[in-house]
Amino acid sequence: TNIALGYVCELNHGEMLYMPEGYWHFMHYLTPGFSISLRSYPRKLKNLGKALYNLGFMRYYDNYMRRKKGQDWIDYKNDQAIIRTHKKLGIKG
């Protein structure tokens, strides 16, 4: 079986973490705070198409669904992400 390996890091005030294009990430705040995400242009044409689709359509659809369905929409998206990841890695169950 394939297993996805993860990394855990703790950032202190003023520190940053670089995540290359296409990497999944999850952030959990231990104390109240805020973050700033900076994005750059995708390096691959295929990824540029995905970025334009996400900016032009998906973000509006996602905002609509969050207002309409609330936490149920977020839970659905999280479940789908797990299903797609398991399928891509060949994990059954």
Side-chain angles (χ1 to χ4, degrees), residues 2 11 13-14 20 27 31 42 45 52-53 57 60 64 66 68 82-83 85 89:
N2 295 324
L11 299 176
H13 180 76
M27 297 177 82
T31 59
L45 188 58
L52 293 173
Y53 173 76
F57 176 74
Y60 297 106
Y64 169 78
R66 285 177 188 237
K68 184 100 172 146
I82 292 168
I83 289 167
T85 301
L89 295 174

Side-chain angles (χ1 to χ4, degrees), residues 42 45-62:
L45 188 58
K46 177 183 173 185
N47 292 343
L48 178 60
K50 283 183 184 178
L52 293 173
Y53 173 76
N54 286 335
L55 284 172
F57 176 74
M58 277 310 293
R59 75 174 174 170
Y60 297 106
Y61 180 74
D62 188 56

Side-chain angles (χ1 to χ4, degrees), residues 3-9 24:
I3 297 175
L5 300 176
Y7 296 92
V8 175
C9 76
W24 286 22

